[in-house]
Amino acid sequence: MSYRTMLVHLDAHPRRVALLDFAFRLASRFDSHLVALFAIDPMPIPRVADAHWSTVLVDAGAKQWKEAEDAARRDFDAVSRQYSQVVSEWRSDSGAALAAITLSARYADLVIARQQDPDSEQDPHVPQRFAEELVLAAERAVLLMPYIGSAQTLGRQVMLAWDASPQAMRAATAALPLLEKADQVRVAVFDAEKHRANHGEQPGADIALFLARHGVKASVALEQSVDGDVGIAILSRVADLGIDLVVMGAYGHSRTRERILGGATRTLMETMTVPVLMAH
């Protein structure tokens, strides 16, 4: 099993060069075809604008979009020359970004994007919770790169955050090519007693056996969160164990519940320190 096609989303954020390098390195590792898709939301037109101002704003938006696309294309060309062994292609879409990416994602094995920058001024053309919406809308797993730092290694030391949910299983299955190449895979079962009905006789045993049949040797550890905050517990273990990739399901509960009460997905979305592969 491998990733034959990868899709990386590019926008107008200055971190896209680091994201491109990350995506090309990953594509090189798996001998994948890499599709780079530039997509940002169009400039909104105020409802109160009359016909004249609407035309002016549309023209200004089109010019701004073209300038942003040209800058992104230059970055893509520069990085692609450094990875001449990777077969890659450039695409752009002037429609709504989320719709463009989810359409192309149907024909990719893995989607690569970046964590949202908390400084909203750096993301004028991308909604505040774009990464979250992408994980929920894409029909493929999404690998998110943290907005700070650069991933020097990926998938050598992997943590699978396991709660035996359908989302976690989808994430684990989507991550198999990475897990198969990992030096070490740790299945972390958090608060197993709270979700006893989801697990078999021995929490973590079934997923470890599933992985073993795919040639993945994984260790299983029963972990306890502090005050039920699994997200913080994941980040703590990431730091303790030198993890360079987290694999997890996204939004086992409703987003409204997670936003109000907290949840591992939201915590990782906001404070990830290493790349995270998520599937909903």
Side-chain angles (χ1 to χ4, degrees):
M1 185 176 179
S2 186
Y3 301 121
R4 304 312 306 157
T5 305
M6 295 182 182
L7 173 71
V8 58
H9 170 227
L10 302 180
D11 55 27
H13 194 277
R15 285 284 295 164
R16 64 171 172 254
V17 174
L19 180 63
L20 274 167
D21 182 75
F22 176 79
F24 268 96
R25 282 192 285 122
L26 192 61
S28 176
R29 186 176 175 186
F30 289 94
D31 193 24
S32 303
H33 181 100
L34 181 63
V35 178
L37 173 61
F38 175 79
I40 58 176
D41 284 345
M43 176 187 292
I45 305 299
R47 293 183 179 181
V48 296
D50 58 24
H52 169 72
W53 281 108
S54 293
T55 300
V56 170
L57 290 173
V58 167
D59 290 344
K63 180 181 179 182
Q64 189 179 59
W65 183 91
K66 181 62 174 152
E67 290 173 348
E69 184 206 22
D70 288 345
R73 179 60 190 264
R74 288 193 294 271
D75 289 339
F76 168 79
D77 289 341
V79 177
S80 64
R81 283 193 292 269
Q82 300 174 30
Y83 295 90
S84 57
Q85 76 279 14
V86 176
V87 178
S88 61
E89 64 175 283
W90 168 266
R91 295 181 188 174
S92 63
D93 193 308
S94 59
L98 185 62
I101 302 166
T102 53
L103 177 60
S104 290
R106 294 177 187 173
Y107 311 104
D109 299 302
L110 183 67
V111 179
I112 303 169
R114 63 176 179 84
Q115 177 197 20
Q116 291 304 112
D117 191 328
D119 182 359
S120 60
E121 294 181 358
Q122 293 292 323
D123 289 327
H125 301 295
V126 178
Q128 184 178 5
R129 294 187 176 274
F130 185 81
E132 172 185 340
E133 297 296 337
L134 177 58
V135 168
L136 290 170
E139 298 173 4
R140 294 291 182 267
V142 179
L143 178 58
L144 295 172
M145 187 190 81
Y147 74 89
I148 56 173
S150 58
Q152 298 303 316
T153 64
L154 175 72
R156 301 301 182 191
Q157 299 289 328
V158 183
M159 173 188 290
L160 170 60
W162 184 250
D163 61 2
S165 67
Q167 295 86 354
M169 192 68 231
R170 293 186 193 107
T173 303
L176 278 174
L178 283 160
L179 300 181
E180 290 168 357
K181 289 180 177 288
D183 294 336
Q184 187 168 22
V185 176
R186 301 173 187 268
V187 177
V189 184
F190 289 93
D191 300 340
E193 292 304 318
K194 292 183 180 180
H195 310 282
R196 189 69 193 186
N198 292 346
H199 299 284
E201 181 177 348
Q202 183 177 351
D206 289 336
I207 185 62
L209 182 58
F210 171 83
L211 294 174
R213 288 170 176 159
H214 283 275
V216 178
K217 293 182 179 180
S219 60
V220 178
L222 302 184
E223 305 280 359
Q224 294 295 320
S225 64
V226 178
D227 297 326
D229 196 331
V230 175
I232 294 298
I234 291 173
L235 293 173
S236 176
R237 298 305 285 154
V238 164
D240 292 343
L241 301 172
I243 300 297
D244 64 3
L245 172 66
V246 173
V247 176
M248 63 184 290
Y251 288 111
H253 303 294
S254 70
R255 284 183 291 170
T256 301
R257 176 177 173 181
E258 290 215 3
R259 286 176 180 171
I260 295 174
L261 302 178
T265 308
R266 189 186 69 177
T267 298
L268 269 292
M269 281 279 188
E270 295 176 351
T271 57
M272 66 178 64
T273 54
V274 298
V276 178
L277 187 150
M278 289 185 172
H280 177 67

